[in-house]
RNA sequence: GGGCGCAUAGCUCAGUUGGUUAGAGCGCUACAUUCACAUUGUAGAAGUCGUAGGUUCGAGUCCUAUUGCGCCCACCA
């Protein structure tokens, strides 16, 4: 403590220093402990391609608060970190890098390309991890996992094989979402709808028997007409009834196609006749199956037309659309074009319009998996915070579709599926071998001519195992036993379906248990316009820039302050000033305390010293306020009300501890009792604020000279009978290892608080009056206070020293009765008259006016109350204490009016 | 088409189970600067709680309808 403290808090000096020390001393590591209960959070693994954005900052700050808090509460708190290989996203990034060298992945070939990706991962994959360290995350980094690690991959294979053996994985020919740019299938969740202004094109198809007659069909995707194999109408549609069963000639292609009837067709829409393209539309696919139609695929995987598109072969799909429309126009077969808004699926990675595409893919049957996952949430074994997400989850789960898990990319877990060429030649449906390890020969025919499936698995097929695969499942080790099921999952609403729901299903399927007990869903970070913050929109605030400018603790505290449960977060840069100012306030208050501290006074056993009765009122008051705050913050954290906890901590420290307490005790700061109380409150407060502001709390805590605290206490995280021991700074070097302060509820006293509040109000009234009367702020004046109640008089007497000091009073006299006198100005406050000399008052008329306004306002309120109290409906039905309170208020107000009238007369 | 969220001070938002006098931060106004902190202090101005009904002795809070904004889900060609 010999070191000078600078006038301003400088985060740069402290942050990297402490993080390094915490890390070097292994303070982030957690292990099973016989005395402690487990508390585990698995991080939503950021993509290896990731760069820290505000969403990460918010998400990880919340987790860090929980981990640090629970650790102080005695839990063996483990924050399991790691990264996700993010199949498509990462492959895209590396492909882009290759493109700069004029290379495509195909130029390298699969193996070489994967080497490149791994290289890239080694170089850049830790960027996001280092950024998480920068915001202070207390992750157990030694446990960090990567979804493509060898051990983790074993878990992925295991899961696949088990599901396949249970016949929950199957291969099928279906219409899936195809991204022509990424050239892979996407799950429904990866293809999001975006509304586009498009057109509805009416095409005329001539009848085979009578080419002069036409049926007009409406479509938004004219290029798919090349693959039409029928036209469908509603059987009840009078316009078309006579044509059902007849044939049309598909223009350009000149293929005869049948007119079929199906009640699914909406007669109101378009022309009431629908072209059916079973290979390029989900509905048409169903129709095709039902009516035994031909499936004609006219597209190539890269989004160009294929040879079945005849003369349009090789044209890009939207170019082909133009060309086909042009041809139809020339043929006189384009009836009309009307504007039409349609919602089109886009690839969530590259935003390309997705093509419904008929292909062979692998699927997971989801209905059986969903069943226990639905039940667990219904029975509240897993709870969502805020609760409304429960409904969203259940709704999705109850309508769940099979999950397309195959991807036609290279970066990812290769499926453990092998094909026996020999068997397949005899029967194309046979010869599929699913195996944990690559088989050397076919178990059926013994052939060694085996090839592995080219496709890789959807990224989420590995991340849904995260809560247990990170513990080396399928091995059952001690850590997995101890920490699983984990406690809380903290995430954003965007990935409830992608990740949360699937983890719950995987938890039941592979561990027969829930993966976590609570799911806290925080809001989306948006800019001040309400737009989602993203790099592509260019509206992103870079957390690292904010840290450089305001400090990490400021970033964290501000973010948390504005995150009310479940609401989206609207950010602009100036919001971080509050956090920075608060850090500075803590710094300066601590500086004040430390420079005024006598170490020999505070180096005592703090918990033994105090008996409430031994303390003076101000010290009793601040302790009472501190413990009230402690209790409140604990409850708020336990209920995931982070912003409320932040606000409680903020207003206690700034407005109660600094504005009042430190000001009040300045004259008595050398007294032993005050030394100890102010020291004790600061020391404990640092522990409360530590989960929110880890760096500044450690920096100051380390400078505290005395014994920290030895309150023995039990904490919720300690097993029954276990008591946390003495906490002395020499033994425990970091605030991270301290206990959350023990709640000494015997030090909470409402009487003390009321008494102090009265003094504060009196001081406020005097200050306010002084300002109104334009009394020189530096001058001390005489004040006389008359109080009817003996009790109030006594307590004011006790506090008169403080009042005199903070209200700049020269002489304070307390009298029983108020007698109006000339040359005096009096203010009525409750049953008090606060009287000061009129000398120096500039504007009596103005004061008179103010007094009159007050009287008028009171009178109208009195009228209101009188009406209320005459109303039998109120007096008979409202609870007695409310009626009683109203009566008292009325009496008070009448009194006040009387007093104000008296003052008015005095002013004249 | 279905579902969810939001609307409270100039701005951004809190407001627990309905209790009559609605809070914070920022901004604004006035004053204060050797005494921890101008990233400060003291004081002040500022709101018919989106609109219309209803329940109730009493509604920012509960119900119904309605307007505006945002989000999610959904196979209208």
């Amino acid at each position: 403590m010999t070191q000078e403290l600078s006038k301003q808090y400088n985060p740069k000096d402290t942050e990297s220093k402490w993080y390094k020390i915490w890390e070097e001393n292994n303070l982030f590591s957690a292990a099973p402990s016989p005395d402690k209960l487990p508390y585990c959070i698995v991080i939503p693994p950021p993509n290896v391609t990731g760069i820290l954005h505000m969403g990460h900052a918010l998400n990880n700050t919340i987790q860090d608060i929980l981990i640090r808090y629970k650790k102080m509460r005695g839990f063996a708190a483990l924050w399991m970190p790691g990264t996700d290989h993010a199949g498509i996203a990462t492959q895209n990034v590396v492909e882009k890098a290759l493109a700069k060298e004029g290379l495509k992945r195909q130029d390298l070939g699969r193996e070489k390309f994967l080497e490149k990706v791994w290289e890239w991962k080694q170089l850049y994959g830790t960027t996001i991890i280092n950024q998480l360290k920068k915001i202070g995350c207390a992750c157990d980094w030694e446990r960090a996992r990567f979804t493509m690690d060898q051990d983790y991959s074993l878990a992925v294979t295991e899961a696949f094989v088990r599901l396949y053996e249970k016949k929950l994985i199957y291969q099928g020919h279906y219409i899936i979402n195809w991204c022509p740019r990424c050239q892979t299938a996407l799950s429904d969740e990866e293809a999001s709808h975006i509304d586009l202004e498009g057109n509805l094109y009416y095409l005329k198809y001539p009848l085979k028997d009578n080419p002069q007659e036409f049926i007009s069909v409406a479509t938004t995707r004219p290029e798919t007409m090349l693959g039409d194999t029928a036209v469908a109408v509603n059987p009840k549609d009078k316009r078309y009834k006579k044509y059902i069963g007849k044939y049309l000639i598909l223009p350009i292609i000149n293929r005869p196609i049948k007119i079929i009837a199906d009640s699914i067709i909406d007669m109101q829409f378009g022309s009431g006749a629908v072209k059916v393209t079973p290979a390029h539309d989900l509905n048409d696919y169903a129709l095709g199956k039902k009516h035994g139609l031909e499936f004609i695929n006219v597209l190539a995987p890269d989004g160009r037309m294929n040879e079945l598109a005849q003369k349009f072969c090789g044209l890009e799909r939207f170019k082909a659309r133009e060309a086909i429309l042009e041809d139809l126009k020339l043929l006189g077969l384009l009836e009309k074009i009307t504007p039409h808004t349609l919602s089109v699926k886009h690839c969530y990675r590259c935003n390309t319009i997705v093509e419904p595409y008929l292909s062979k893919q692998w699927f997971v049957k989801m209905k059986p998996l969903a069943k226990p996952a639905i039940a667990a949430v219904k029975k509240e074994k897993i709870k969502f915070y805020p609760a409304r997400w429960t409904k969203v989850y259940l709704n999705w789960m109850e309508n769940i579709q099979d999950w397309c898990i195959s991807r036609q990319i290279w970066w990812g877990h290769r499926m453990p599926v092998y094909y026996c060429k020999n068997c397949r030649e005899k029967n194309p449906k046979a010869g599929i071998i699913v195996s944990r390890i690559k088989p050397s020969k076919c178990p059926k025919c013994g052939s060694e001519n085996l090839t592995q499936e080219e496709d890789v698995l959807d990224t989420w097929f590995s991340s849904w195992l995260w809560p247990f695969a990170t513990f080396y499942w399928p091995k059952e080790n001690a850590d997995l036993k101890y920490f699983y099921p984990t406690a809380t999952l903290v995430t954003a609403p965007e990935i409830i379906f992608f990740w949360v729901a699937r983890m719950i299903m995987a938890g039941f399927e592979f561990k027969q248990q829930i993966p976590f007990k609570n799911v806290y869903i925080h809001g989306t970070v948006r800019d001040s316009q309400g737009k989602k913050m993203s790099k592509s929109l260019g509206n992103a605030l870079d957390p690292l820039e904010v840290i450089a400018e305001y400090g990490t603790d400021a970033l964290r505290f501000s973010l948390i302050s504005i995150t009310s449960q479940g609401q989206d977060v609207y950010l602009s840069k100036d919001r971080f000033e509050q956090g920075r100012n608060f850090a500075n306030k803590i710094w300066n208050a601590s500086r004040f305390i430390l420079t005024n501290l006598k170490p020999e006074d505070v180096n005592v056993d703090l918990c033994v010293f105090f008996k409430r009765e031994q303390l003076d009122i101000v010290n009793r008051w601040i302790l009472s306020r501190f413990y009230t705050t402690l209790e409140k913050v604990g409850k708020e954290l336990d209920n995931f009300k982070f912003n409320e906890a932040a606000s409680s901590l903020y207003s206690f420290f700034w407005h109660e501890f600094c504005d009042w307490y430190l000001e009040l005790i300045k004259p008595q700061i050398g007294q032993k009792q005050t030394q100890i109380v102010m020291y004790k409150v600061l020391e404990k407060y640092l522990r409360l604020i530590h989960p929110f502001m880890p760096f500044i709390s450690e920096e100051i805590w380390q400078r505290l000279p005395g014994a920290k605290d030895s309150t023995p206490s039990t904490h919720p995280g300690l097993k029954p009978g276990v008591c946390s021991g003495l906490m002395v700074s020499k033994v425990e070097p970091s605030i991270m290892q301290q206990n959350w302060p023990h709640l000494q509820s015997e030090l909470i006293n409402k009487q003390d608080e009321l008494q102090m509040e009265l003094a504060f109000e009196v001081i406020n009234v005097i200050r306010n009056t002084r300002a109104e009367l334009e009394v020189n702020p530096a001058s001390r004046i005489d004040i006389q206070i008359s109080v009817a109640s003996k009790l109030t008089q006594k307590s004011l007497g006790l506090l008169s020293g403080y009042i005199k000091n903070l209200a700049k009073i020269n002489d304070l006299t307390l009298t029983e009765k108020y007698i109006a006198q000339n040359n005096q100005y009096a203010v009525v406050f409750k049953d008090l008259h606060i009287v000061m000399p009129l000398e120096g008052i500039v504007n009596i008329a103005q004061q008179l006016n103010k007094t009159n306004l007050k009287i008028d306002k009171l009178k109208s309120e009195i009228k209101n109350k009188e009406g209320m109290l005459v109303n039998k409906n109120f007096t008979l039905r409202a609870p007695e204490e409310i009626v009683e309170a109203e009566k008292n208020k009325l009496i008070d107000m009448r009194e006040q009016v009387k007093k104000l009238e008296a003052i008015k007369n005095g002013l004249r």
Side-chain angles (χ1 to χ4, degrees), chain A residues 688-899:
Chain A
L688 293 201
I689 201 73
H690 176 256
F692 297 79
M693 307 176 97
F695 296 106
I696 191 172
S697 54
E698 179 79 295
E699 176 71 28
I700 298 168
W701 198 84
Q702 291 288 341
R703 293 166 185 267
L704 299 181
K708 299 302 194 289
D709 182 23
S710 62
T711 318
S713 68
T714 51
H715 281 282
L718 295 170
K719 292 209 171 137
V722 178
C723 190
S724 71
L726 296 183
M727 289 293 173
V728 179
S729 57
K730 282 164 203 147
V731 183
E732 303 287 346
S734 164
I735 194 170
M736 274 193 74
Q737 291 158 291
Q738 305 309 308
N739 277 324
W740 189 251
H742 176 62
L743 177 62
Q744 289 180 264
S745 40
E746 70 278 8
L747 291 176
I748 295 179
N749 186 291
K750 289 295 152 201
Q751 274 309 313
D752 291 344
E753 293 193 10
L754 284 174
Q755 206 173 337
M756 284 309 291
E757 274 160 30
L758 178 69
F760 297 158
E761 281 172 321
V762 168
I763 291 167
N764 280 339
V765 169
I766 296 170
R767 281 173 172 171
N768 170 346
T769 313
R770 288 177 61 121
E772 274 181 18
L773 298 184
E774 295 172 15
V775 175
N776 180 351
S779 76
R780 290 188 167 265
I781 55 173
D782 291 343
I783 294 276
Q784 177 201 324
I785 302 178
S786 16
V787 211
S789 142
K790 277 256 188 263
L791 206 71
T792 316
Q793 199 181 340
K794 200 180 156 203
S795 80
L796 284 180
L798 209 71
L799 293 162
S800 66
Y802 298 114
I803 297 172
K804 279 165 76 171
N805 196 15
L806 293 194
K808 294 223 161 163
I809 295 169
N810 195 28
D811 200 29
L812 178 65
T813 20
L814 291 167
T815 63
E816 215 168 298
K817 258 197 172 163
Y818 169 65
I819 301 153
Q821 281 176 27
N822 284 338
N823 256 344
Q824 281 188 340
Y825 181 72
V827 197
V828 179
F829 169 69
K830 289 187 178 167
D831 61 337
L832 310 175
H833 277 69
I834 298 170
V835 187
M836 56 181 75
L838 257 184
E839 290 159 36
I841 294 180
V842 186
N843 198 338
I844 291 185
Q846 197 189 332
Q847 291 315 313
L848 202 60
N849 199 20
K850 272 192 182 159
T851 311
N852 276 328
L853 281 175
K854 262 190 209 159
I855 292 173
D856 290 349
K857 202 182 163 204
L858 272 170
K859 278 188 174 164
S860 90
E861 274 178 35
I862 286 172
K863 229 178 160 183
N864 250 325
K865 285 254 177 323
E866 281 171 346
M868 201 166 145
L869 287 163
V870 169
N871 186 347
K872 288 232 167 75
N873 278 331
F874 175 67
T875 50
L876 294 179
R877 291 198 212 186
E880 229 173 282
E881 59 274 18
I882 302 257
V883 178
E884 208 43 44
E886 289 305 314
K887 276 186 188 160
N888 287 333
K889 275 184 201 162
L890 181 62
I891 293 167
D892 276 0
M893 284 193 276
R894 283 179 178 150
E895 273 300 300
Q896 297 240 10
V897 172
K898 264 193 213 159
K899 289 170 185 167

Side-chain angles (χ1 to χ4, degrees), chain A residues 403-690:
Chain A
W403 175 15
C404 174
I405 50 167
S406 44
R407 297 289 179 276
Q408 288 66 44
I409 54 173
W410 290 347
W411 175 241
H413 299 96
R414 195 106 173 239
M415 298 174 115
V417 175
Y418 305 88
Y419 300 107
C420 169
K421 252 192 172 168
N422 189 33
C423 289
R424 282 175 91 76
E425 267 166 22
K426 290 170 198 152
N427 175 1
K429 284 189 179 166
I432 296 175
I433 307 149
V434 171
S435 165
R436 286 173 181 84
I437 37 170
K438 187 178 178 174
S440 53
K441 54 186 177 184
C442 174
K444 281 252 169 68
C445 70
S447 160
E448 286 178 11
N449 196 354
L450 303 180
T451 52
Q452 187 172 1
E453 167 66 66
E454 294 286 316
D455 290 358
V456 300
L457 286 159
D458 179 9
T459 297
W460 301 99
F461 193 90
S462 54
S463 27
W464 75 327
L465 312 173
W466 191 249
F468 46 86
T470 45
F471 291 103
Y472 299 101
W473 180 88
K475 285 180 207 137
E476 284 290 338
N477 60 38
D479 282 1
L480 180 57
K481 269 200 192 103
Y482 185 74
F483 287 112
Y484 191 91
T486 68
T488 302
L489 182 79
V490 178
T491 192
E494 292 95 81
I495 53 176
I496 291 179
F497 304 141
F498 276 122
W499 195 48
V500 181
R502 286 173 182 159
M503 275 192 289
I504 297 175
M505 291 188 274
F508 278 103
E509 180 60 26
F510 302 112
K511 287 287 297 167
Q512 291 75 46
Q513 258 189 88
I514 53 168
F516 30 71
K517 298 177 195 87
N518 301 309
V519 180
Y520 178 78
I521 307 279
H522 60 248
T524 305
V525 178
R526 301 175 184 283
D527 68 6
S528 45
Q529 314 302 314
K531 291 211 184 74
K532 187 172 162 176
M533 274 200 183
S534 78
K535 236 176 100 190
S536 54
L537 286 172
N539 62 349
L541 273 178
D542 183 353
L544 298 174
E545 268 174 44
V546 173
I547 286 174
E549 197 173 340
Y550 300 97
T552 303
D553 289 331
L555 169 84
R556 294 171 55 123
F557 193 82
S558 288
L559 267 180
I560 290 303
S561 300
I562 55 184
T563 314
S564 72
Q565 203 180 62
Q567 278 324 109
D568 284 354
V569 177
Y570 293 82
L571 267 188
S572 58
K573 221 170 172 189
D574 53 354
R575 303 228 118 203
F576 297 105
E577 281 175 20
Q578 188 193 358
R580 179 202 57 185
N581 294 356
F582 185 44
N584 195 54
K585 191 74 182 177
I586 295 175
W587 181 255
N588 273 295
S590 306
R591 188 159 74 98
F592 172 71
I593 291 170
L594 288 170
T595 49
N596 283 289
L597 210 58
K598 296 188 270 181
E600 67 277 14
D601 274 355
V602 296
N603 206 3
V604 293
D605 191 338
L606 293 177
C607 83
V608 185
F609 179 82
F610 293 109
K611 291 269 181 318
R612 201 184 138 254
E613 311 80 64
Q614 297 172 311
L615 300 171
D616 67 34
I617 173 77
V618 172
N619 284 321
R620 292 205 306 267
W621 169 77
I622 197 64
L623 286 169
S624 180
R625 291 307 305 150
F626 174 80
Y627 284 107
T628 305
T629 306
L630 169 65
E631 191 175 20
K632 198 156 171 270
V633 169
K635 275 186 196 153
E636 286 158 345
L637 284 178
D638 290 338
N639 289 301
F640 303 107
K641 310 247 173 175
F642 300 103
N643 66 318
E644 289 177 32
S647 144
S648 303
L649 287 166
Y650 181 90
S651 65
F652 167 77
F653 193 83
W654 200 307
H655 299 306
E656 299 188 294
F657 188 64
C658 292
D659 288 352
W660 283 115
Y661 178 74
L662 291 181
E663 293 306 322
L664 286 164
I665 54 115
K666 271 178 185 172
Q668 64 185 52
I669 198 160
Q671 290 171 12
K672 186 163 186 178
Q673 175 195 116
T674 302
Q675 286 270 313
I676 292 173
V677 172
M678 96 183 162
Y679 177 78
K680 174 168 169 160
V681 172
L682 175 66
E683 187 274 321
K684 284 174 183 283
Y685 181 81
L686 290 172
R687 285 190 265 154
L688 293 201
I689 201 73
H690 176 256

Side-chain angles (χ1 to χ4, degrees), chain A residues 61-281:
Chain A
T61 299
I62 292 171
Q63 294 177 74
D64 197 45
I65 288 171
L66 284 171
I67 285 291
R68 287 175 187 270
Y69 170 64
K70 292 291 178 179
K71 192 168 272 188
M72 294 175 99
R73 284 291 226 174
F75 290 86
L78 168 63
W79 189 2
M80 171 71 80
T83 44
D84 193 294
H85 70 280
I88 299 175
T90 309
Q91 176 157 327
N92 283 351
V93 170
V94 177
E95 281 188 83
K96 257 185 208 160
L98 282 179
K100 279 187 190 154
E101 302 167 36
L103 288 170
K104 280 199 224 150
R105 73 178 208 243
Q106 288 82 356
D107 300 336
L108 297 179
R110 187 164 190 148
E111 234 167 273
K112 273 260 177 253
F113 177 75
L114 287 179
E115 267 171 39
K116 281 269 173 206
V117 184
W118 276 106
E119 249 170 58
W120 189 93
K121 191 252 165 189
Q122 298 310 341
L123 272 176
Y124 303 107
T126 49
T127 308
I128 184 94
I129 297 295
N130 292 328
Q131 291 173 329
L132 289 177
K133 290 181 178 181
K134 206 131 178 116
I135 64 171
C137 293
C139 295
D140 189 352
W141 295 112
E142 294 203 343
R143 293 177 183 264
R145 303 278 186 271
F146 177 53
T147 49
M148 288 278 282
D149 280 347
Q150 211 172 2
D151 291 313
Y152 200 100
S153 301
L154 285 178
V156 174
T157 305
E158 180 70 24
F160 187 97
V161 174
R162 285 197 194 178
L163 290 175
Y164 185 81
E165 283 169 354
K166 282 181 82 176
K167 302 210 184 321
L168 290 174
I169 283 184
Y170 63 93
Q171 194 180 26
H173 229 78
Y174 283 104
I175 298 267
I176 43 81
N177 306 296
W178 183 266
C179 175
R181 204 219 59 85
C182 302
Q183 297 210 25
T184 180
L186 299 171
S187 69
D188 288 339
E189 292 69 41
E190 287 169 317
S192 50
H193 285 273
I194 298 175
D195 277 351
L196 291 182
E197 298 300 325
N199 293 316
L200 198 54
Y201 304 90
Y202 290 77
L203 316 179
K204 295 198 304 192
Y205 289 3
L207 272 161
K208 188 182 175 197
D209 298 342
N210 179 9
Q212 304 314 312
E213 223 178 313
F214 302 95
I215 284 183
S216 166
V217 295
T219 179
T220 53
R221 294 188 298 152
E223 68 278 11
T224 64
M225 61 97 53
L226 306 175
D228 284 2
T229 54
V231 164
V233 297
N234 193 301
K236 286 183 191 153
D237 198 325
K238 285 176 190 149
R239 292 173 292 180
Y240 302 117
K241 223 167 187 170
K242 55 187 172 192
Y243 300 119
I244 294 169
K246 294 191 171 169
Y247 283 84
L248 296 162
I249 295 294
L250 186 64
I252 302 173
I253 301 282
N254 297 321
R255 175 166 64 228
I257 56 175
K258 200 177 179 180
I259 299 168
I260 59 170
D262 199 292
S263 54
I264 199 171
I265 306 302
D266 179 0
M267 293 187 278
Q268 309 303 316
F269 191 91
S271 62
V274 184
K275 61 190 264 322
V276 183
T277 324
H280 290 285
D281 184 276

Side-chain angles (χ1 to χ4, degrees), chain A residues 296-457:
Chain A
I296 299 177
N297 187 345
V298 293
L299 273 169
D302 62 356
R304 293 170 190 277
M305 309 309 288
N306 66 19
E307 61 285 358
L308 291 177
Q310 298 182 4
K311 64 187 260 204
F312 303 103
C313 178
L315 266 187
E316 193 273 332
R317 53 188 167 152
F318 297 115
K319 291 260 169 24
R321 175 180 297 180
E322 298 302 319
I324 288 166
L325 287 170
E326 202 51 46
D327 274 21
L328 288 170
K329 213 174 184 178
L330 288 173
L331 292 166
L333 297 175
L334 180 60
E335 186 186 311
K336 60 176 174 179
I337 302 174
T338 56
H340 182 70
T341 312
L342 63 165
S343 107
V344 183
K345 285 187 169 187
H346 289 67
C347 173
Y348 86 131
R349 278 295 165 210
C350 68
N351 214 32
T352 305
I353 292 181
V354 159
E355 214 41 54
Y357 194 68
L358 186 64
S359 62
K360 205 176 209 182
Q361 303 289 342
W362 291 85
F363 297 87
V364 180
K365 240 180 232 167
M366 297 308 273
K367 284 249 149 65
L369 296 182
K371 223 175 154 190
I374 290 170
V377 170
K378 279 192 174 160
K379 280 188 220 144
E380 299 199 334
K381 293 239 159 63
I382 298 173
K383 279 170 124 173
F384 282 84
Y385 295 83
R388 68 185 143 89
W389 293 108
T390 309
K391 231 174 127 181
V392 176
Y393 166 88
L394 287 175
N395 187 40
W396 187 74
M397 291 289 276
E398 277 157 4
N399 298 297
I400 198 160
Q401 301 294 312
D402 285 355
W403 175 15
C404 174
I405 50 167
S406 44
R407 297 289 179 276
Q408 288 66 44
I409 54 173
W410 290 347
W411 175 241
H413 299 96
R414 195 106 173 239
M415 298 174 115
V417 175
Y418 305 88
Y419 300 107
C420 169
K421 252 192 172 168
N422 189 33
C423 289
R424 282 175 91 76
E425 267 166 22
K426 290 170 198 152
N427 175 1
K429 284 189 179 166
I432 296 175
I433 307 149
V434 171
S435 165
R436 286 173 181 84
I437 37 170
K438 187 178 178 174
S440 53
K441 54 186 177 184
C442 174
K444 281 252 169 68
C445 70
S447 160
E448 286 178 11
N449 196 354
L450 303 180
T451 52
Q452 187 172 1
E453 167 66 66
E454 294 286 316
D455 290 358
V456 300
L457 286 159

